[in-house]
Amino acid sequence: MQQRSFALFALILLLLVAACSSPSATQSPATPNATAPSQGVTLRWSVWGSPEELASHQAVADAFMQAHPSIKIVIEHTPWEGYHTKLKTIVASGDLSALPDVMFLGQDFNQYASEGVLENLTPWIERSGYDLNDYWPALIERATINGGIYGLQRDLDLRLLYYNKDLFDEAGIPYPDETWTWNNWAEAAKKLSIIEASGRIVRYGIGMETGKWGMLLAQSGGAYLDDPRNPSRCTLDTPESLRALNFYADLLNANAAMRPATLQQIGGDAGAFTQKQVAMIVQNASRAPTFGAAGMNFDVAPIPIPEGGRRVNNSGGARWVMSSASKHKEEAWTFLKWLQSANGGIDIYTKRGEIFPALRSVAQSPSFLQVDAAPRNRQAFVVEARNVSLFTFGDFPEFGELNDLIIEPNLQLIWSGQASVEQTVPEICRRVNEFLKQNGYPRS
Amino acid sequence: MTQKLSKRTRSLSLPGRQRTLFRWRPDQQWDGYLFVLPSLAGLVVFTAFPVIFSLVISLFDWNMIGKPRFVGFDNYAALFTRDIIFREVSWNTLIFLVSIVPIQMACSIMLALALNLRLRGNSVFRVVYYMPVITTIVAAAIMFQFIFDRNYGILSSVVWNLVERWSIPITPPDWLNHPGWAKVAVIILTLWKNIGFSAIVFLAALQSIPKELYEAAAIDGANVWHRFWTITLPMISSTTFFVFIILCIGAFQLFGESFILTRGGPGYATMTIVQYIYQSAFEFFRMGRASAVAWVLFAAVFVFTIIQWHLQRRWVYYETGER
């Protein structure tokens, strides 16, 4: 009896396993329904975004459909966390026809463009006479892969100097502006920091997160390597690089700037700024609503530059792309072109206060300059946007390892006040050069 | 017996067939394997195969995308000749091993003794001390980042208050910006997180000691100290050995505590071997080197454990007498 029930149990178990495994094997991936209405064409448009951003996307789609009654836009919304994974899964499945016609891309652009997932827009641009000169510098260069333009950038992820006006007023220091150099900056930072007699530091002048120091290096004309794509040697020991290294190390050691490890430890610069633990931070536009909601009296300014140095800024931002497998490329291009024209979609996003537009004419129009929200100094964005550049310190497969394993830990010793610039830099450069040699750089 | 069984099982098998696959014979062993097949398959697919695979990969140069290139024992040779970072992380791991293990052993035995007392509300304390063990390390590490802040952290605030009230000329350490203090911070977090586990194991061992031994000793006039050294410690020695081995292996594999608290910094001060494996494999895609380091770590743990296994004869007492 016992054995019989045991055999029965085994049989049931076997059936269960079979029952569980069979449906998943036969199930086909769900392909979104793309049937067009009787007249006109339906375009699938994929976006990510918070509920507020989704409302903006919907407003954009509605405005487009009003202007183009023959084209219907269907929004396919996925939250940011899963958005790029979802696209990647579709691409990896090999069935590109499952991709939406027009997509918003924040990652994987280079890979998709070079693997033929995206439509080369250059022929479309040439045929329709679309104006590329309205873009800020470097944006078209960024979107160009192997001679073709594969995406149109919507917004610019600019970094600006946020400052707490109340703290400046208290200390009797004029607000930062376009004319500020590193000297003004350092002087203000030292005055704004508060160190008690005991040695406890109540407030620092500047709070810059790990990695943002690179902008100072680019401003002074320095770099990690002589060539970011095919390096032959370390250039952290050049006078330009040393100037930036010493400037930042001095600020940290004078307690005028908060050490990056400390900033990370207390939860990042946004919290430190709202709690007045730092008076100035370097951040992008996305933080402004948070500070506004916290009731802070703040504004933004262009980031100070060294005497004789140059302005540089981050040229990153999200783009619109077209699927190379789209069945309605003509309509998709009409939509793309409209999204990225001064009186089209980009203007709606700008008016809703969500982005700094990638088009100059929109940025310099009332749509951007007269939005009724903090920060007030809208001109600061325009000043920085004029100088966006493709500054990158390394663009080769092993750079991540070189940076994380050799450059960053050693720089961190300087930022932590454990080593001096003079001691550390020759050692970094020796090891960087050794690493480059071991990995076969420069390649001919 | 045998006849009886086979008679009964015959009725189960299909009629007309004498030796089929499903015929039940008492001497059959393989149907036992059939039942453990699901977990055995899991073991092969998720453990045995990856282990062998990593051993093979450690002989190759492979970035997960391109074609693996055979390099022989070059990955291993590089670790011991020119890899400065491997030297750093090995040294750090060794420091964590020799600091965390003894401190945690001592603290958890003392804690277990305290929790074993018949005090009101002691069960509450047992829960409290075990809570860190089931706390997510990420949440715990982020909380400790705040605690270790030089200016506003709880630890430092105590010191700052002393400084202000009695003007004692001391300053609290800047924990995570100083290589030495950062190590101490990692040790503190690891102890806080794990002491509850070893204390519970010791507590179970303490409760299994027969009361008669203590009674007999007390009658003979042994004081608390004597009883602890001559009864308690020998009676829990097998548990002590178990905890010791588990803690050593845990210290060799230290990763989450240091990685989240300090990301290995400042400099290389708190970077551990496992962090080096993790970064090599999944951030820099050096699968060959990562596998080689993993196997070196395995060898170290293995040799260490073998040595301890042999040394235990001198100090571990098993009640069965053998061993």
Side-chain angles (χ1 to χ4, degrees), chain A residues 5 10 12 29 52 57 128 272 286 306 330 362 373 384 388 396 431 436:
Chain A
S5 60
I12 291 166
E52 295 80 22
H57 292 312
S128 62
S286 71
E330 195 69 49
V362 179
E384 285 292 353
V388 292
F396 53 99
R431 288 176 62 181
L436 291 176

Side-chain angles (χ1 to χ4, degrees), chain B residues 299-320:
Chain B
V301 174
F302 190 71
V303 169
F304 188 85
T305 310
I306 292 270
I307 294 172
Q308 290 309 321
W309 196 259
H310 283 280
L311 288 180
Q312 63 144 338
R313 288 178 197 163
R314 301 191 186 164
W315 61 277
V316 178
Y317 165 78
Y318 289 94
E319 227 171 324
T320 50

Side-chain angles (χ1 to χ4, degrees), chain A residues 54-288:
Chain A
L54 182 59
S56 299
H57 292 312
Q58 191 61 57
V60 167
D62 291 344
F64 176 76
M65 287 189 280
Q66 204 163 24
H68 302 80
S70 64
I71 303 174
K72 187 169 182 262
I73 304 286
V74 176
I75 294 182
E76 292 183 6
H77 171 257
T78 312
W80 164 261
E81 293 76 28
Y83 181 85
H84 292 93
T85 318
K86 187 177 164 188
L87 289 185
K88 201 169 243 175
T89 314
I90 298 176
V91 171
S93 78
D95 181 18
L96 292 187
S97 65
L99 281 177
D101 301 287
V102 177
M103 295 170 276
F104 202 19
L105 263 198
Q107 298 169 5
D108 310 316
F109 173 74
N110 289 25
Q111 197 194 345
Y112 288 170
S114 47
E115 281 174 8
V117 177
L118 307 181
E119 175 77 2
N120 181 357
L121 302 177
T122 309
W124 298 96
I125 292 167
E126 281 168 2
R127 202 178 333 147
S128 62
Y130 179 73
D131 181 20
L132 295 178
N133 292 323
D134 199 16
Y135 282 87
W136 296 106
L139 300 194
I140 296 301
E141 193 187 334
R142 257 187 102 223
T144 308
I145 311 282
N146 300 327
I149 297 167
Y150 285 87
L152 298 178
Q153 190 165 332
R154 182 190 69 155
D155 51 281
L156 255 181
D157 185 22
L158 288 176
R159 285 179 187 159
L160 292 145
L161 184 71
Y162 281 73
Y163 61 95
N164 187 322
K165 282 179 156 179
D166 292 342
L167 301 183
F168 272 72
D169 291 342
E170 260 171 45
I173 306 169
Y175 300 145
D177 59 31
E178 207 181 328
T179 64
W180 271 36
T181 64
W182 279 2
N183 293 340
N184 303 99
W185 199 19
E187 212 174 296
K190 277 169 197 159
K191 278 189 202 154
L192 285 162
S193 60
I194 299 176
I195 306 166
E196 287 177 351
S198 60
R200 185 183 201 165
I201 300 156
V202 179
R203 185 198 303 147
Y204 296 83
I206 301 169
M208 267 168 70
E209 290 177 328
T210 315
K212 290 193 177 151
W213 165 81
M215 189 147 70
L216 304 183
L217 186 65
Q219 284 178 333
S220 75
Y224 284 8
L225 303 159
D226 58 344
D227 178 350
R229 296 214 163 76
N230 187 23
S232 55
R233 65 186 177 84
C234 163
T235 52
L236 280 170
D237 52 3
T238 61
E240 294 83 11
S241 298
L242 287 174
R243 183 181 182 190
L245 280 160
N246 280 315
F247 171 71
Y248 191 39
D250 289 348
L251 278 179
L252 293 168
N253 292 334
N255 292 319
M258 189 187 262
R259 300 192 188 281
T262 311
L263 193 57
Q264 191 245 329
Q265 192 180 344
I266 61 169
D269 61 1
F273 189 61
T274 35
Q275 287 161 27
K276 299 184 180 176
Q277 290 179 350
V278 294
M280 294 179 270
I281 60 169
V282 172
Q283 257 298 354
N284 62 20
S286 71
R287 303 284 180 178

Side-chain angles (χ1 to χ4, degrees), chain A residues 200 202 401 405 416 418 439, chain B residues 151-152 177 268 286 289:
Chain A
R200 185 183 201 165
V202 179
E401 183 179 3
L405 228 43
S416 292
Q418 303 299 324
N439 287 277
Chain B
N151 298 309
Y152 292 96
N177 273 307
Y268 304 103
R286 303 257 188 198
R289 181 175 73 202

Side-chain angles (χ1 to χ4, degrees), chain A residues 23-57:
Chain A
S24 63
T26 52
Q27 208 170 42
S28 61
T31 39
N33 196 352
T35 44
S38 47
Q39 97 285 34
V41 166
T42 301
L43 284 181
R44 291 167 56 217
W45 184 38
S46 70
V47 293
W48 70 77
S50 60
E52 295 80 22
E53 288 169 307
L54 182 59
S56 299
H57 292 312

